[in-house]
Amino acid sequence: MITLADDEKAIASAIKQLSNQAGSHSPSIFTIAEKLPQLEIKIDACFLSNSYATDLVLEDFRKELIHTNKIKKVIEFYPSQNQVIADVLSTHLNVPARNIFIGSGASEVIQAVIHNFTTRKIIVNIPTFSPYYEFVKEGIVVVYNRLDPQENFNLNIEKYIQLVEKEKPDTIVLINPNNPSGGYIKLSDIQYLLNRLSWVENIIIDESFIHFAYEDENYEIKSAAMMIENFNNLIIIKSMTKDFGIAGIRAGYGVMDKEKVGYLLRHGHLWNSSGLAEYFFRLYVSDKFQREYEKSRIRCIQESRHFFSELATMPGLKVYPSMANFVLAELTNGATSYDFVSKLLIKYGVYIRDCSDKIGLDGEFVRIASRTKAENEIIVDSARDVLQNAWEYKEVSY
Ligand SMILES: *Cc1c(COP(=O)(O)O)cnc(C)c1O
C-alpha cells in the first residue's frame, strides 16, 4: 500500500479537482503551478514528446528568427494559406499537395474529419485518445472495441475485421502506435487491413507517434501516408506535437482524398495556421534540420527502450510493451494509481498520467513518458522508492 500523509492527502485531492476540471486530459503543469504553488514539478512525464527535438527547434528559432529579427515578419504578417503549406510538405512526404490538409494541431484535423465525414457510426479501440469519441456529433453511434490486456492491448486483426464487418460503420480509427497503450500495428498489417476493409468510407490512421516506432534496427519511419495513392478512403492524421516537442506551436496535418481536402478548405479551414507553425513546417522539411532531427529521434528511441526495461524491473508494476515514447503500466500490488501518482508528484516532483479516467482500462493504470536520459533516471529512482516503501509497509502490516 502507498500511504499518503495528511498534508499529502490535501494536495492530492486538490490535484484531483484540477484534473476533474480539465476533463479527459491531464491539467497542464502551468495550471498546477498556478493553483498549487507549494508543489514543485521537476519532471513532466505526463507530456509525451521528444524533448531533444524541442531543443533543436529552439536553437533554430534563436538563430534564424530572434537574432535576425525575422520574428517581426512572422508575427506581423499573415501566414500562407493551407495549400501553400501543404505544398511545402508535399515533397518531403512524397504525397501530392492536393491530398494534404494542414491543421492547427492534429486536434483540428480530428475535429474537421469527424464532424464532416462521419455520418453514421464510428468504431474506436479503447483505451484511446479521447477526442475520437468525444468529438462525434450527436446522433452518431460510437462502437467501442476493447483491446485485451491478455493480448497486451495489441489489435487482434482478424477479430477486428469481423467486428467491422458486423457493425458496418462508416468510420474506423486506428492510432498507431496507440495512445495510451503503445501498441503498434506493422505497416504490412495496415496494408492488409486496408485491403480487407476497402468498403469502409473513412479509415483514420493516427500516426502521431509513428516517429518513435520501428520495425528493424534501421529505425526507418513506417508511415502509411503514401498508400493514399491506392486507398482513397484512407485518412492519415499526424500531430507534430509529440515528435518535435512543440505543443505550443499547434502544428499537424492530415493526408486524405483530394475531395475531402477540398471540402474542408471550402468550409472554413483555409487560414488556420499561425506564422510560427508555417515557419516550423518550412524548417521541418529542410535537409539540415532533418539530419539533426534524425539523430535526436533515434537517441530518443534508444533511451526510451532502456527506460522501459528499467521500469519493467520494478516490483508491483506491470509494464506493457510499447512502440511509442511512453509506456502504459499497471499497479499489481494493491496500490491505487491515484496514490502512486500523488506520491510521485508531491514527494519527488515527478508528474505522470493517472489513467483512471480512461475508458477501456479496468484496474490501476498509469502512463509514463520517456523524457531526457537524466530525467528518466530520476523517474526510475523515484518510482522504485515509492513502490519499495509500499511493499515494505505491506509486509510490516501483516
Ligand atoms: C496528442 C495527440 C493528438 C493531438 O495533437 P495536437 O497536434 O497537439 O493537437 C492527436 N492524436 C493523438 C493520438 C495524440 O496523442
Side-chain angles (χ1 to χ4, degrees):
M1 221 175 85
I2 296 168
T3 37
L4 298 180
D6 284 344
D7 56 334
E8 290 177 334
K9 275 188 197 147
I11 300 177
S13 114
I15 299 167
K16 177 95 185 158
Q17 239 176 348
L18 289 180
S19 298
N20 291 344
Q21 286 162 12
S24 40
H25 302 275
S26 41
S28 79
I29 52 167
F30 302 116
T31 310
I32 296 185
E34 191 182 71
K35 305 281 172 163
L36 294 166
Q38 69 271 44
L39 264 187
E40 195 197 341
I41 300 182
K42 294 200 189 92
I43 299 172
D44 184 354
C46 251
F47 182 52
L48 312 169
S49 74
N50 174 353
S51 42
Y52 299 123
T54 314
D55 292 340
L56 213 57
V57 173
L58 255 185
E59 194 184 297
D60 179 275
F61 279 16
R62 264 192 221 107
K63 270 200 220 139
E64 305 293 333
L65 272 183
I66 315 277
H67 287 167
T68 59
N69 209 30
K70 204 169 159 187
I71 186 73
K72 181 161 191 266
K73 286 205 178 84
V74 168
I75 62 170
E76 182 175 13
F77 298 113
Y78 274 101
S80 300
Q81 288 188 5
N82 207 301
Q83 284 306 281
V84 176
I85 307 175
D87 208 40
V88 170
L89 272 184
S90 170
T91 314
H92 178 76
L93 298 179
N94 209 355
V95 168
R98 60 176 184 274
N99 292 116
I100 302 173
F101 172 74
I102 306 293
S104 171
S107 307
E108 187 195 11
V109 186
I110 298 173
Q111 190 256 21
V113 164
I114 293 202
H115 276 196
N116 290 290
F117 308 131
T118 300
T119 55
R120 292 184 294 107
K121 191 191 259 192
I122 183 169
I123 301 186
V124 292
N125 300 318
I126 52 172
T128 188
F129 182 62
S130 59
Y132 281 108
Y133 58 85
E134 288 172 342
F135 286 3
V136 296
K137 286 204 217 165
E138 229 168 287
I140 301 222
V141 179
V142 181
V143 176
Y144 297 102
N145 176 42
R146 253 171 202 274
L147 298 170
D148 187 350
Q150 305 293 339
E151 297 179 306
N152 287 327
F153 298 103
N154 285 319
L155 186 73
N156 182 321
I157 302 215
E158 291 306 328
K159 258 203 260 174
Y160 182 69
I161 291 174
Q162 276 172 21
L163 176 77
V164 178
E165 285 173 344
K166 178 174 146 256
E167 293 288 346
K168 302 188 175 43
D170 63 358
T171 305
I172 60 174
V173 181
L174 300 167
I175 304 179
N176 197 30
N178 190 28
N179 178 10
S181 66
Y184 178 67
I185 310 166
K186 284 207 302 214
L187 190 61
S188 54
D189 288 335
I190 293 278
Q191 177 125 37
Y192 175 74
L193 278 165
L194 288 170
N195 278 319
R196 291 284 304 272
L197 299 173
S198 57
W199 53 270
V200 179
E201 282 154 67
N202 309 299
I203 301 189
I204 298 175
I205 302 181
D206 183 323
E207 294 187 343
S208 293
F209 295 93
I210 201 84
H211 286 204
F212 303 109
Y214 60 96
E215 296 187 8
D216 57 42
E217 298 305 311
N218 292 326
Y219 299 110
E220 200 186 324
I221 298 171
K222 300 280 189 180
S223 169
M226 273 151 65
M227 293 180 188
I228 189 67
E229 212 181 320
N230 301 318
F231 299 96
N232 64 4
N233 57 349
L234 175 62
I235 300 172
I236 300 285
I237 295 184
K238 178 87 186 94
S239 170
M240 309 308 266
T241 293
K242 316 296 165 48
D243 313 324
F244 298 93
I246 51 161
I249 294 182
R250 312 307 301 128
Y253 63 85
V255 171
M256 61 192 94
D257 183 34
K258 66 179 195 307
E259 302 296 330
K260 288 188 174 115
V261 173
Y263 184 90
L264 296 180
L265 297 180
R266 288 193 306 276
H267 289 80
H269 298 274
L270 186 62
W271 227 322
N272 51 348
S273 281
S274 70
L276 216 50
E278 177 177 8
Y279 183 86
F280 169 75
F281 278 121
R282 291 180 186 279
L283 172 67
Y284 164 61
V285 299
S286 73
D287 289 340
K288 181 168 172 290
F289 181 81
Q290 276 296 324
R291 274 194 302 277
E292 293 298 316
Y293 169 66
E294 267 308 286
K295 281 188 236 158
S296 90
R297 186 176 73 85
I298 290 165
R299 179 178 179 190
C300 182
I301 292 176
Q302 291 172 336
E303 291 180 6
S304 299
R305 295 290 112 196
H306 177 71
F307 177 54
F308 302 161
S309 65
E310 291 283 302
L311 288 173
T313 66
M314 308 251 160
L317 196 69
K318 177 171 164 56
V319 169
Y320 287 87
S322 167
M323 268 288 171
N325 61 333
F326 55 82
V327 279
L328 183 68
E330 186 176 5
L331 294 151
T332 53
N333 266 351
T336 65
S337 56
Y338 175 78
D339 286 344
F340 184 56
V341 169
S342 303
K343 195 70 161 188
L344 271 180
L345 179 55
I346 296 162
K347 190 161 171 205
Y348 302 89
V350 172
Y351 185 37
I352 64 169
R353 175 72 152 83
D354 185 346
C355 290
S356 52
D357 63 336
K358 287 264 177 199
I359 56 169
L361 288 176
D362 297 321
E364 299 298 327
F365 287 89
V366 294
R367 192 192 62 198
I368 309 172
S370 172
R371 306 299 303 165
T372 65
K373 192 163 182 230
E375 289 176 325
N376 287 350
E377 281 165 14
I378 297 174
I379 300 170
V380 165
D381 289 345
S382 312
R384 185 171 285 131
D385 229 33
V386 174
L387 291 166
Q388 249 157 20
N389 282 338
W391 193 224
E392 278 156 20
Y393 178 87
K394 195 171 174 183
E395 286 185 322
V396 170
S397 65
Y398 277 143

